[in-house]
Amino acid sequence: MTVKRGSTTFLKVIIFLAGIAVLALCIFLVPNMGNFASKLYPNIATIKYLVFIVMYGAAVPFYFALYQAFNLLRYIDNNTAFSELSVKALKNIKYCAIAISGIYVLGMPLFHFIAKKVDPPIGFLGLIIIFASLVIAVFAAILQQLLQEAINIKSENHLTV
């Protein structure tokens, strides 16, 4: 019980720190990226706002996924990990990861356009985010399916006893 509680507490702290890190990026890095893009292409007035839409748009499902992961850890702490709430949280995490990946797929032409004028190509960063999000989505889908099967087995065992 103590090991589980300590592990979930550690993961909750990691989730909190990840949220703070992304918030710092949203506050400090994203405006600079938008301004940088608008300086690269001063004749395209909307490029700054397109960068904002992609970056802040991806932050919304990211924070929702963090919230769902935090809820999942709470379910583990409360010994209700094998419940439909956990399956729903994993499903939401999967959808959030797919949404983040989709937003970056839609934003890749923008990043490619900006990367044309930048010495180290930044387009690979978008590909890394897309790939990582898809890996998380697949992992969440597998966990969701395994958890649903475990819940089904548990309910079958309750019915036979």
Side-chain angles (χ1 to χ4, degrees):
M1 188 73 155
T2 311
V3 173
K4 180 174 68 170
R5 179 81 53 170
S7 299
T8 57
T9 302
F10 173 73
L11 290 173
K12 286 178 185 178
V13 169
I14 296 299
I15 288 171
F16 182 74
L17 291 175
I20 289 175
V22 170
L23 180 63
L25 290 175
C26 286
I27 292 172
F28 299 111
L29 185 66
V30 173
N32 290 337
M33 289 176 65
N35 291 333
F36 179 72
S38 66
K39 287 177 186 172
L40 285 176
Y41 295 99
N43 54 343
I44 304 173
T46 60
I47 196 162
K48 176 180 185 176
Y49 301 106
L50 291 173
V51 170
F52 289 167
I53 289 169
V54 171
M55 302 300 261
Y56 290 136
V60 173
F62 175 79
Y63 279 109
F64 187 69
L66 284 185
Y67 174 72
Q68 293 299 313
F70 192 83
N71 282 342
L72 195 56
L73 292 172
R74 274 195 353 217
Y75 302 148
I76 293 169
D77 282 343
N78 296 335
N79 291 324
T80 57
F82 292 98
S83 67
E84 289 298 324
L85 291 172
S86 297
V87 173
K88 186 176 178 183
L90 284 168
K91 184 189 297 186
N92 288 336
I93 291 170
K94 175 183 69 175
Y95 290 145
C96 288
I98 291 170
I100 292 168
S101 184
I103 290 168
Y104 273 91
V105 164
L106 293 174
M108 280 307 291
L110 173 68
F111 292 131
H112 179 71
F113 188 63
I114 293 169
K116 284 182 182 179
K117 288 194 172 185
V118 179
D119 188 24
I122 60 169
F124 289 115
L125 292 176
L127 291 175
I128 291 170
I129 292 172
I130 291 167
F131 179 73
S133 296
L134 288 177
V135 167
I136 290 169
V138 169
F139 187 68
I142 291 169
L143 285 178
Q144 175 192 348
Q145 185 178 15
L146 288 173
L147 185 60
Q148 186 64 55
E149 288 176 17
I151 291 170
N152 292 343
I153 291 169
K154 183 180 174 184
S155 67
E156 286 175 11
N157 286 341
H158 273 298
L159 293 176
T160 57
V161 170

